[in-house]
């Protein structure tokens, strides 16, 4: 049996192949150990799924641990950079803010936050004693209040999502809706940014964040928002668009806030607690402000659904 003849002749170029032989290459590198990141993501995902399945009795402790570790990372990096911060005290007061929301809801959170701010203001004046002039008082006090709002205040909104049970929809459905939107934002932005990213969004703050990545997050977030609102929460589909857009904007701004924070401190990651991801705060940076927006919108949706 003879081999089929080719359609080329001596000195002639071969005809181009009809089928592409290579997939398009990404325009950008992933920028991290992808296998370690995936393994860590699977473990974190399993913890979240277990907490969601069990309910608020497990979800609240999971959020509380994440908030405490994130505060430890941030306060440690600040102290290394020369900021004077009562790390242990702030972590304890941050936990008080979160756990006060269990019996008292947003009223307990606001009261806890106000009390903590007062403590920080007074501590900054007298932590060196009554006879010593405080140094960098305004700077350190402002940074401490910023951290309290950034982590325990926004983190408590993430915990309180489990308590939304309006219109006969279980709180677990609202947690799932929030988490799916967050995952869609991350995956859509990551994939689009790696494959197509070429126009920096805020190069002075985060050179790797592109408009193409933001567009990918927006598309994935809107699609997921519409699906979770329609299928899980049984609310109007257009609220899913609002949820998706608001979450993506807040998550993107949260990423940029942390990027600027780390840039001013001259660090790449908050810590190395999570292989392939950096620190806890490197995973929560976009999720925390998105949690506040999600809580407000999901509460609004549930009230409209029950009306």
């Amino acid at each position: 049996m003879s081999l089929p003849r080719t359609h080329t002749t001596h000195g002639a170029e071969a005809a181009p192949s009809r089928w592409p032989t290579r997939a398009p290459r990404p325009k950008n590198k992933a920028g991290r150990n992808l296998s370690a990141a995936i393994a860590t993501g699977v473990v974190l995902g399993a913890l979240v799924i277990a907490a969601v399945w069990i309910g608020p009795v497990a979800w609240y402790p999971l959020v509380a641990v994440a908030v405490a570790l994130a505060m430890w990372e941030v306060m440690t990096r600040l102290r290394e950079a020369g900021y004077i911060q009562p790390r242990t005290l702030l972590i304890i007061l941050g936990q008080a803010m979160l756990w006060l929301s269990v019996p008292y809801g947003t009223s307990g959170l606001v009261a806890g936050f106000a009390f903590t701010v007062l403590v920080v203001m007074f501590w900054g004046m007298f932590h060196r004693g009554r006879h010593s002039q405080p140094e960098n008082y305004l700077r350190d006090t402002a940074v401490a209040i910023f951290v309290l709002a950034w982590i325990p205040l926004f983190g408590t909104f993430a915990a309180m999502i489990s308590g939304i049970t309006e219109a006969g929809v279980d709180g677990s459905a609202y947690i799932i809706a929030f988490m799916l939107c967050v995952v869609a934002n991350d995956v859509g932005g990551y994939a689009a940014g790696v494959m197509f990213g070429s126009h920096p969004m805020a190069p002075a703050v985060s050179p790797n964040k592109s408009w193409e990545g933001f567009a990918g997050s927006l598309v994935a977030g809107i699609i997921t928002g519409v699906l979770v609102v329609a299928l899980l929460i049984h609310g109007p589909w257009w609220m899913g668009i609002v949820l998706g857009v608001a979450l993506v904007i807040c998550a993107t701004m949260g990423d940029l806030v942390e990027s600027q924070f780390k840039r001013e401190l001259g660090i790449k990651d908050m810590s190395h607690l999570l292989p392939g991801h950096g620190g806890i705060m490197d995973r929560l940076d976009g999720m925390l402000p998105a949690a506040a927006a999600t809580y407000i919108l999901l509460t609004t949706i549930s009230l409209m659904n029950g009306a």
Side-chain angles (χ1 to χ4, degrees):
M1 186 177 193
S2 60
L3 295 173
R5 294 181 179 179
T6 62
H7 297 281
T8 58
T9 58
H10 181 71
E13 294 183 357
S17 173
R18 180 178 300 177
W19 307 104
T21 57
R22 292 183 181 179
R25 292 184 178 180
K27 297 188 70 173
N28 303 286
K29 294 183 179 180
R32 56 179 171 174
N33 188 331
L34 193 57
S35 59
I38 292 174
T40 302
V42 169
V43 174
L44 294 177
L47 289 174
V48 169
I49 292 173
V52 171
W53 182 74
I54 295 173
V57 69
W59 179 251
Y60 255 86
L62 179 65
V63 174
V65 171
V67 165
L69 290 175
M71 290 190 69
W72 176 84
E73 289 177 343
V74 170
M75 304 308 293
T76 300
R77 301 291 86 80
L78 285 170
R79 292 173 71 172
E80 291 171 352
Y83 292 84
I84 306 301
Q85 301 293 330
R87 181 176 59 186
T88 302
L89 177 62
L90 287 181
I91 292 175
I92 293 172
L93 292 174
Q95 290 295 299
M97 289 168 53
L98 189 147
W99 289 107
L100 280 172
S101 70
V102 175
Y104 302 114
T106 53
S107 298
L109 171 61
V110 172
F113 179 71
F115 174 78
T116 302
V117 169
L118 288 174
V119 171
V120 169
M121 292 170 64
F122 298 155
W123 182 91
M125 284 191 295
F126 300 114
H127 74 96
R128 300 180 63 194
R130 293 185 300 112
H131 302 288
S132 297
Q133 179 73 23
E135 297 180 358
N136 299 314
Y137 171 76
L138 292 179
R139 182 200 69 175
D140 292 335
T141 301
V143 168
I145 295 173
F146 169 80
V147 172
L148 289 170
W150 191 23
I151 305 178
L153 180 66
F154 291 163
T156 302
F157 282 110
M160 291 194 300
I161 291 175
S162 63
I164 305 175
T165 56
E166 299 291 336
V169 180
D170 187 73
S172 297
Y174 292 99
I175 300 176
I176 294 173
F178 166 63
M179 296 304 300
L180 286 178
C181 288
V182 169
V183 171
N185 168 77
D186 289 343
V187 173
Y190 181 77
V194 169
M195 294 299 297
F196 310 110
S198 58
H199 296 85
M201 186 181 229
V205 177
S206 179
N208 293 328
K209 187 166 289 294
S210 66
W211 285 109
E212 290 81 2
F214 177 74
S217 292
L218 205 58
V219 171
I222 290 175
I223 293 174
T224 305
V226 171
L227 291 176
V228 298
V229 168
L231 300 178
L232 287 177
I233 305 175
H234 310 297
W237 64 269
W238 58 268
M239 285 299 295
I241 297 178
V242 177
L243 175 64
V245 172
L247 190 146
V248 168
I249 292 175
C250 288
T252 301
M253 292 299 103
D255 290 340
L256 292 176
V257 167
E258 199 211 18
S259 295
Q260 181 61 30
F261 185 94
K262 292 189 293 186
R263 181 177 291 274
E264 290 198 16
L265 296 187
I267 58 177
K268 181 180 180 181
D269 295 319
M270 286 295 185
S271 74
H272 302 286
L273 291 176
L274 301 176
H277 291 266
I280 298 291
M281 197 58 201
D282 295 308
R283 290 296 86 208
L284 298 181
D285 53 357
M287 188 179 298
L288 291 174
T294 303
Y295 179 83
I296 295 170
L297 289 172
L298 290 180
T299 302
T300 303
I301 293 171
S302 66
L303 293 175
M304 291 179 62
N305 191 32

